[in-house]
Amino acid sequence: LIGRGKEKALVVADLHLGVEGELEAKGVSLPSQTPKVLKKLLELVSRYRPARLILLGDVKHNIPVASIQEWRELPSFFEKLAQHVRVEVIPGNHDGDLAGMLPKGVVLHSAKGVVIGKRTLVGLAHGHAWPAPELFRTKTLVLAHNHPAIEFRDALGGRIIEPVWLKLRIHTRKLPPEVRKAITAQPPDVIVMPAFGELVSGAPVNQKMPEELIGPLFKSGALKIDDAQLYLLDGTYLGTVKLLRKLLARPHDF
């Protein structure tokens, strides 16, 4: 949740609706998860009563075009959400064809992101493309795209992957000149959100992350994964990625 009162916004990222089609092609047959995701979102809207529900990219899964399942399910998904809350979408790299699925009243922002808030400004962008320069003048910049997680292993080879939040600082010297010029004061803290979709595989940040998922802020060196602070979904602080890589490389110590 971001903000209070009339400015309160519920932000979720990386639903990847329609991922079941890809899993089925790999031999894993599952029912559509769209009704389950819709129910979960409506429960959150009912509990927290936000003024806005902002979907921070990768609402759908299939690329470069939408699947038949997505065309069948997503218009109704958005219509039902919009009956309860103002719905806004900041598109991600998986959201090709999404504009044609949105009913009247659902707002589609630029992939470069948007700034929300009045007293405390927050920038929101998916993270697969450079955010607009004005997002770097906010207090906090919230991204998604990477599906951050942490991998725990025990001495017997047991393996558990848990989603996490990342908190990072920006190394401004690594930013492009036009972005660096936009920063007039302290650069924003960066928060990278975990994926909301339960079937979305997480990228364990204490292991080597695939370059194609990192995005321009990481590739430029402006964000360094080793410096990231990790938090579990319940807010438990785990330390930095650099520290955890050292600790979790020795599971017999636990």
Side-chain angles (χ1 to χ4, degrees):
L1 283 171
I2 297 174
R4 298 179 179 178
K6 295 181 179 180
E7 289 296 314
K8 186 163 62 175
L10 173 64
V11 181
V12 299
D14 292 297
L15 277 62
H16 284 268
L17 299 176
V19 68
E20 309 86 22
E22 180 179 302
L23 294 175
E24 186 174 5
K26 296 178 180 179
V28 180
S29 181
L30 292 171
S32 170
Q33 299 297 295
T34 302
K36 182 178 179 180
V37 173
L38 176 63
K39 180 181 178 183
K40 188 175 179 181
L41 286 173
L42 290 177
E43 287 173 349
L44 290 172
V45 168
S46 176
R47 183 188 309 169
Y48 296 110
R49 300 191 178 279
R52 309 156 73 178
L53 170 62
I54 302 176
L55 305 179
L56 197 58
D58 287 359
V59 179
K60 56 179 286 295
H61 181 72
N62 284 272
I63 53 174
V65 296
S67 67
I68 294 175
Q69 175 190 346
E70 290 166 351
W71 278 110
R72 183 176 62 247
E73 295 181 348
L74 265 65
S76 174
F77 169 83
F78 280 107
E79 287 174 359
K80 291 175 181 177
L81 276 181
Q83 292 173 5
H84 298 271
V85 66
R86 173 184 168 90
V87 181
E88 304 175 36
V89 178
I90 299 171
N93 53 304
H94 280 252
D95 290 326
D97 288 339
L98 187 66
M101 304 178 189
L102 302 181
K104 185 177 180 181
V106 174
V107 178
L108 181 63
H109 292 288
S110 165
K112 293 183 178 181
V114 66
V115 175
I116 66 172
K118 291 184 177 179
R119 294 183 180 179
T120 302
L121 299 181
V122 177
L124 301 172
H126 181 65
H128 66 299
W130 278 104
E134 58 265 27
L135 272 68
F136 291 89
R137 292 194 289 267
T138 60
K139 174 84 171 172
T140 306
L141 174 58
V142 182
L143 306 174
H145 185 48
N146 281 296
H147 314 165
I150 185 169
E151 180 182 285
F152 296 97
R153 291 179 182 264
D154 62 25
L156 300 177
R159 179 172 176 263
I160 297 175
I161 295 179
E162 292 289 338
V164 293
W165 300 80
L166 303 182
K167 182 179 180 181
L168 307 101
R169 63 185 182 89
I170 296 176
H171 297 267
T172 54
R173 288 181 295 176
K174 297 290 186 178
L175 293 171
E178 63 275 15
V179 175
R180 194 163 57 245
K181 289 178 182 177
I183 300 176
T184 56
Q186 185 76 13
D189 291 329
V190 175
I191 303 294
V192 181
M193 298 184 66
F196 190 81
E198 294 180 0
L199 298 182
V200 180
S201 59
V205 295
N206 55 315
Q207 305 295 332
K208 185 177 180 181
M209 293 185 70
E211 281 190 16
E212 65 270 16
L213 294 181
I214 287 179
L217 274 165
F218 283 100
K219 288 184 178 181
S220 69
L223 296 179
K224 296 182 178 180
I225 191 65
D226 281 357
D227 298 335
Q229 300 177 56
L230 276 66
Y231 297 82
L232 293 174
L233 297 186
D234 65 1
T236 301
Y237 177 58
L238 298 178
T240 65
V241 170
K242 185 177 182 179
L243 174 62
L244 286 171
R245 280 178 174 165
K246 292 180 179 179
L247 292 176
L248 298 179
R250 305 192 301 272
H252 56 277
D253 292 344
F254 290 84

